Amino acid sequence: MLYAILCYNDENVVGSWSKQEDDAVMAKLLVVTDKLAKKGRLGPVARLLPTTAATTLRKGKEALVIDGPFAETKEQFLGFYVVDCPSLDEAIEIAKELAAANPGPGAYEIRPVGYFQPGSAAT
Amino acid sequence: MTDITWINAALTSARPQAVGALLRYFRNLDAAEEAFQEACLRALQNWPHNGPPRDPAAWLIFVGRNFGIDTARRGRKQEALPEEAVISDLEDAETELAERLDGADYRDDILRLLFICCHPDLPATQQIAVALRVVSGLSVKQIARAFLVSESAMEQRITRAKNLIAAADVQFETPGAVERAERLAAVAAMIYLVFNEGYSATSGPGGTRAPLCDEAIRLGRLLLRLFPTEPEIMGLLALLLLQHARADARFDPDGNIVLMEDQDRTLWNREMIAEGLALIDKAMRHKRPGPYQAQAAIAALHARAERPQDTDWAQIDLLYAALEQMQPSPVITLNRAVAVSKVRGPAAALAMIEPLTGKLSGYFHFFGLKGGLLLQLGRNDEARVAFDRAIALANTAAEAAHIRMHIDRLIKDSAAGSDAAVPHAPD
């Protein structure tokens, strides 16, 4: 079963990390994902740019283009992992490992993937 | 669990909001800063045990405000008459607090905090120093290092600036639309100053002033979060990101300037460029052009060119022409001349900058470009004169060294009788 692990955190705080701190967290997260990649269980991973760079398309009779993310919240959607896990418990374990690698609060939403298209965009 | 790194980052990111709100309560910058400091100490004691609060800024405002009220009450017992206005204002604020913390439109608090740093009587460098201290919370030591002055000199400078601010008449009422727009423009200009202070002087390995650029970008993001639909603020942040993306490529390991044409573009920061390009695209959709957007659009054209020869100089020429209209300045014309030299040749560019001689007679880049253009035209003797003048006006050793390199080449080439390589204008 494919799960998407959606990462939520306060982007103001994450944006206040120094480059060294950010690099250190990314290195720790890489340890977790490398383990999955070796087992062939890691799908696409993305880290999103700040919500100030976001644009929202609101559907309607005439689609409306709005600056910023679609919801004003304390925690923002900052990135995601797609992982292949036999059970929810294992997906939760992976999320716990990601959480341990990343200091402070925040949340991981674990969502089973319905339709999946690996895509072909060049990185 | 609650890592100290996270706590520090949370305190830093909450600072503008918390100090801004505390300033509104206490109407005194020192009191607001002291209350925030105290709240931070308590956070460091409390958060590791009890876990971080859901809203760190609200927590810090609440604790800081209570500390401030306690201090005011103690002062009332120990000292003479209470400042009635201050006390009653504090208590009024208390009833309002729960609502404020939930509803949370702190926009005007943060804008006010940024705005008081832009006091027109403060010279630019002092505006920057005080903003870095008060809004960003950098230590005096860090700021002193960035400005290459002693800690005590910087301490004095900041104290003087703060005294001036304290004596100024700060408006605490919610600003009207026009006043808000004026504050926004002043604050945007101040953030740009912070960036330029870091950008222009960053030289040599390590670039001690680079933190100023990072801080300016952080303040730019903060401002855009407060005003998410302002195209000029998008333009400002895009400009800072696109310029800073080149930081690692601007100097060689010995601290020599590397011109944009010669830069290793693989060293450009792709993530910053992606964010900058996204922002300028967003901004242009509003069809409300302005100077920051025009400059960001120019930077975007450089960022989009995979190789120097792919640069769309004709478009850059047009953008500079638009910028000249919006913000006439000899420096902008000088920059435009670089694009003109690429599109229409060095003679056209030289004709364009000749009339600027009077206004830019003390400007390093003017003589650097003039020398380069003369060289392209084979007027080597005149080029030499311009380069000598540029060296005399260089602001940093790296600038001087860069021009010297051209002179050396000129001498060598004239000896060899070949065409000289062509130097270019400022990056």
Side-chain angles (χ1 to χ4, degrees):
Chain A
M1 168 74 100
L2 286 179
Y3 288 89
I5 299 180
L6 312 181
C7 314
Y8 290 85
N9 207 338
D10 184 337
E11 69 176 356
N12 299 352
V13 177
V14 174
S16 297
W17 289 345
S18 67
K19 177 149 191 335
Q20 290 77 7
E21 286 163 353
D22 199 284
D23 289 347
V25 171
M26 291 309 274
K28 282 204 249 169
L29 290 171
L30 205 60
V31 174
V32 180
T33 50
D34 271 355
K35 219 165 50 182
L36 292 166
K38 280 199 191 103
K39 294 182 200 155
R41 289 169 51 195
L42 185 70
V45 175
R47 181 177 183 180
L48 307 179
L49 289 172
T51 55
T52 40
T55 304
T56 301
L57 183 82
R58 171 61 67 189
K59 278 172 79 173
K61 253 196 196 141
E62 276 205 36
L64 199 58
V65 179
I66 307 162
D67 292 310
F70 91 101
E72 269 298 320
T73 48
K74 287 261 172 276
E75 290 177 340
Q76 291 77 31
F77 178 41
L78 301 188
F80 65 84
Y81 301 84
V82 174
V83 296
D84 185 8
C85 291
S87 71
L88 174 63
D89 283 349
E90 286 205 32
I92 292 174
E93 278 313 308
I94 292 169
K96 280 185 180 165
E97 286 185 41
L98 293 170
N102 193 345
Y108 294 88
E109 178 179 326
I110 298 150
R111 279 272 276 282
V113 173
Y115 170 74
F116 179 70
Q117 191 180 350
S120 60
T123 51
Chain B
M1 179 68 218
T2 307
D3 193 275
I4 191 74
T5 305
W6 183 85
I7 294 185
N8 281 330
L11 296 178
T12 305
S13 84
R15 182 180 173 102
Q17 194 179 52
V19 177
L22 292 166
L23 175 66
R24 175 163 46 79
Y25 294 134
F26 301 132
R27 311 210 159 181
N28 175 305
L29 188 55
D30 281 336
E33 283 197 286
E34 195 195 348
F36 179 75
Q37 206 51 48
E38 181 64 26
C40 287
L41 289 176
R42 293 193 192 174
L44 286 169
Q45 291 160 5
N46 185 300
W47 295 0
H49 301 296
N50 300 343
R54 200 180 57 86
D55 184 344
W59 192 98
L60 292 163
I61 293 165
F62 189 77
V63 171
R65 208 180 54 89
N66 285 347
F67 167 79
I69 291 172
D70 283 351
T71 311
R73 285 200 181 122
R74 268 201 308 278
R76 180 161 54 174
K77 278 177 202 146
Q78 287 161 7
E79 291 164 22
L81 287 168
E83 284 248 346
E84 287 295 349
V86 173
I87 301 296
S88 70
D89 183 56
L90 293 180
E91 272 147 21
D92 286 346
E94 201 160 4
T95 47
E96 206 193 339
L97 189 70
E99 178 201 338
R100 291 284 300 180
L101 295 188
D102 264 355
D105 187 359
Y106 288 108
R107 198 168 75 150
D108 290 321
D109 284 346
I110 300 180
L111 187 59
R112 181 185 301 111
L113 186 67
L114 285 158
F115 182 68
I116 59 170
C117 304
C118 317
H119 194 290
D121 291 350
L122 287 177
T125 50
Q126 289 195 24
Q127 291 188 15
I128 300 170
V130 87
L132 291 172
R133 179 72 205 99
V134 172
V135 185
S136 306
L138 298 191
S139 69
V140 173
K141 189 173 173 183
Q142 282 172 307
I143 302 169
R145 202 180 321 150
F147 278 91
L148 313 172
V149 300
S150 76
E151 208 175 323
S152 62
M154 184 49 75
E155 180 85 60
Q156 269 181 14
R157 212 183 278 183
I158 291 175
T159 308
R160 236 178 319 178
K162 277 187 171 179
N163 289 341
L164 196 141
I165 289 170
D169 191 19
V170 181
Q171 293 295 311
F172 287 94
E173 294 74 35
T174 304
V178 173
E179 198 185 357
R180 189 178 285 135
E182 283 168 2
R183 288 186 180 188
L184 187 57
V187 167
M190 186 267 289
I191 292 174
Y192 193 45
L193 281 178
V194 173
F195 184 84
N196 268 335
E197 190 66 32
Y199 188 79
S200 59
T202 305
S203 66
T208 47
R209 289 184 154 196
L212 294 185
C213 295
D214 291 333
E215 200 48 43
I217 288 170
R218 210 170 71 85
L219 292 173
R221 282 210 191 95
L222 173 73
L223 201 61
L224 185 56
R225 259 195 301 275
L226 299 177
F227 297 91
T229 60
E230 281 299 329
E232 271 295 85
I233 306 302
M234 295 174 200
L236 170 68
L237 180 55
L239 175 61
L240 306 189
L241 286 161
L242 292 169
Q243 302 260 54
H244 197 40
R246 298 197 295 263
D248 288 345
R250 290 176 60 218
F251 296 95
D252 71 13
D254 301 324
N256 298 313
I257 295 172
V258 182
L259 290 177
M260 208 197 298
E261 300 226 331
D262 304 322
Q263 285 173 11
D264 175 357
R265 297 187 177 214
T266 61
L267 295 178
W268 289 4
N269 185 316
R270 290 290 134 197
E271 202 171 307
M272 283 188 205
I273 289 176
E275 190 179 348
L277 294 179
L279 285 164
I280 190 66
D281 282 351
K282 270 178 72 167
M284 307 259 256
R285 288 184 47 86
H286 288 262
K287 304 212 181 332
R288 278 165 51 204
Y292 293 121
Q293 289 171 79
Q295 292 173 82
I298 292 165
L301 287 170
H302 287 302
R304 284 203 161 104
E306 280 182 32
R307 300 166 305 166
Q309 59 267 41
D310 300 330
T311 312
D312 186 348
W313 288 107
Q315 190 64 32
I316 291 175
D317 179 22
L318 289 175
L319 283 163
Y320 272 121
L323 196 56
E324 271 182 316
Q325 294 279 318
M326 291 186 253
Q327 223 177 35
S329 130
V331 173
I332 290 170
T333 307
L334 186 69
N335 280 310
R336 185 177 172 200
V338 179
V340 166
S341 77
K342 306 281 182 183
V343 182
R344 284 181 266 149
L350 196 60
M352 193 171 202
I353 69 165
E354 289 290 4
L356 307 175
T357 309
K359 283 176 189 151
L360 296 179
S361 60
Y363 193 57
F364 164 77
H365 291 299
F366 174 77
F367 291 99
L369 178 63
K370 187 176 174 185
L373 294 170
L374 288 166
L375 200 58
Q376 273 176 284
L377 292 166
R379 291 156 66 178
N380 291 3
D381 292 344
E382 289 163 90
R384 178 67 201 263
V385 173
F387 283 142
D388 283 343
R389 185 84 191 104
I391 287 185
L393 291 167
N395 303 298
T396 62
E399 283 180 355
H402 181 73
I403 296 295
R404 198 158 291 126
M405 184 185 84
H406 288 306
I407 294 180
D408 290 347
R409 209 178 288 169
L410 195 58
I411 294 166
K412 209 188 309 163
D413 286 344
S414 67
S418 70
D419 279 348
V422 178
H424 298 288
D427 158 13

